[in-house]
Amino acid sequence: MAGSTIYDVAAAAGVSIKSVSRVLNGEPNVSEALKTRVGKAVEDLGYRRSLSARGLAGSSSSVIVALVDAGMTIEHWRSGSGNDYLSRLELGVLMELRQVDYHLMVEMVDYASPTLQRDLSALLSSIRPEGVLLTPPNCDLSLVLDVLDSSGVAYARIGAERELGRGILVSMDERQAAYDMTEHLIDLGHRRIAFIGGPAAYSASRLRLEGFQAAMTAHGLAVPAEAVVEGDFTFAAGVAGVEKLLNGPLSPTAVFGSCDDTALGTIHGALARGLQVPRDLSVCGFDDSPSAMFSNPTLTTIRQPVAEMAAAAVQRLTPPLRARLKPRYDGGPLVVPYRLLLRKSTIAPPAD
């Protein structure tokens, strides 16, 4: 029944409003018989609580807030490339939340802001979320974790590398994934391989670089300074990076972009110099964004399981919330597997 209220549910179930509230809020020590009666009334009436009503009724809003990096989100928007990471994060979260009657709110956080602590405290106070999902680089900031701990809000960290004794942890093996990709290039016969990195604030940037360097070293290949170019996870970084590499002494036969946008920028920059990919230069990336599948050539890349990590984080976060128990650190992160996707942008190097 459209417009049904909690009073209607209580009347239909033949119980008090307080009993209905206890069931809907997932409080402990509620009998199965009461849950059944209230559940049937809710279903028959098509009753749904408003977020404002939830917030007024208690100390939380049945909202899970995802905190994402403002700088990177705005950069993707300005460049017109979209933000596939955010889209997949939202998908993974929403697929889980729709089953437990929670709602998602995405908020941008500027990790470099001098007022970060004040801004985050104000955000938590106004929204009163039941849980928070932290994405890089916010998931590794002690200041952010301290604010959440002091506020008593439960949180899950996606892709965290530091302070692993705090919060629920879900990640992928960034270092091994980059190692595997580099080894793929080596197995094809490449020896002069370059790497275009990501922003220093992201632990993934360092871990992917470490994986690249470790694979090269394991196969007895040198990594001269000119083989590594700084970047920032953008298309423009790939364009500028490959230009620097092609003007330098290395003459690479393959370039590993630390994300798909950077790899696609590398292809663009190589084409502008008259090179053909992969005939003259093999290029690979990291993410498996939609553009990787539809680029020309299609991009060899690592499938980063963003949606799966987000879903796993919600799975660990929401059951304790529904029982009004604070999630506890369980001794280690849940590591979600990645995939190496071989497409048309990498082949054996041209004969010297």
Side-chain angles (χ1 to χ4, degrees), residues 191-195 212 216 222-229 244-255:
R191 297 296 178 266
R192 299 192 305 276
I193 306 172
F195 183 88
F212 163 73
M216 295 287 283
V223 184
E226 59 269 20
V228 178
V229 177
K244 182 175 182 179
L245 290 167
L246 295 176
N247 288 334
L250 181 64
S251 298
T253 61
V255 176

Side-chain angles (χ1 to χ4, degrees), residues 22-23 26-32 34-35 323:
R22 291 179 63 208
V23 173
E27 294 183 12
N29 303 319
V30 176
S31 70
E32 290 301 320
L34 179 58
K35 291 179 183 178

Side-chain angles (χ1 to χ4, degrees), residues 26-303:
E27 294 183 12
N29 303 319
V30 176
S31 70
E32 290 301 320
L34 179 58
K35 291 179 183 178
T36 300
R37 291 173 67 181
V38 172
K40 185 177 187 305
V42 167
E43 183 176 354
D44 290 345
L45 294 171
Y47 169 74
R48 289 185 66 84
R49 292 178 293 169
S50 69
L51 295 182
S52 59
R54 295 181 189 189
L56 290 172
S59 60
S60 58
S61 59
S62 294
V63 166
I64 301 296
V65 173
L67 300 181
V68 301
D69 177 18
M72 189 61 64
T73 302
I74 293 171
E75 176 61 34
H76 281 291
W77 175 74
R78 285 175 175 167
S79 67
S81 63
N83 191 329
D84 178 62
Y85 182 94
L86 180 56
S87 298
R88 287 191 284 168
L89 176 83
E90 291 176 338
L91 175 62
V93 173
L94 291 173
M95 289 298 290
E96 293 299 321
L97 292 186
R98 68 192 295 268
Q99 303 178 48
V100 293
D101 199 24
Y102 278 76
H103 299 268
L104 171 66
M105 183 177 292
V106 178
E107 291 288 335
M108 293 190 296
V109 174
D110 181 2
Y111 68 86
S113 171
T115 61
L116 174 59
Q117 182 175 5
R118 183 194 68 192
D119 295 343
L120 184 54
S121 296
L123 174 68
L124 296 174
S125 177
S126 62
I127 298 174
R128 291 188 293 182
E130 290 208 43
V132 172
L133 294 178
L134 295 173
T135 64
N138 298 300
C139 61
D140 277 324
L141 296 182
S142 296
L143 186 151
V144 171
L145 302 183
D146 290 344
V147 171
L148 291 171
D149 284 337
S150 64
S151 69
V153 178
Y155 56 91
R157 303 163 62 195
I158 299 175
E161 189 208 359
R162 305 186 185 105
E163 299 193 59
L164 299 184
R166 305 175 74 175
I168 292 169
L169 305 168
V170 181
S171 66
M172 65 165 286
D173 194 336
E174 304 266 3
R175 188 178 187 276
Q176 186 61 48
Y179 185 105
D180 292 349
M181 179 60 81
T182 306
E183 194 165 57
H184 161 65
L185 296 173
I186 295 171
D187 289 344
L188 286 174
H190 293 278
R191 297 296 178 266
R192 299 192 305 276
I193 306 172
F195 183 88
I196 303 178
Y202 283 69
S203 61
S205 300
R206 178 178 56 78
L207 293 171
R208 293 174 193 181
L209 174 59
E210 287 180 358
F212 163 73
Q213 294 171 324
M216 295 287 283
T217 300
H219 288 268
L221 300 175
V223 184
E226 59 269 20
V228 178
V229 177
E230 293 182 0
D232 59 4
F233 286 166
T234 64
F235 184 93
V239 176
V242 75
E243 181 73 13
K244 182 175 182 179
L245 290 167
L246 295 176
N247 288 334
L250 181 64
S251 298
T253 61
V255 176
F256 183 174
S258 58
C259 76
D260 284 353
D261 279 353
T262 296
L264 294 173
T266 300
I267 293 175
H268 181 85
L271 293 176
R273 288 285 296 264
L275 300 180
Q276 294 297 313
V277 176
R279 186 193 67 189
D280 303 317
L281 182 71
S282 286
V283 178
C284 60
F286 199 115
D287 285 332
D288 193 30
S289 62
S291 53
M293 175 69 76
F294 301 110
S295 65
N296 185 19
T298 55
L299 185 66
T300 292
T301 189
I302 295 290
R303 186 180 186 281

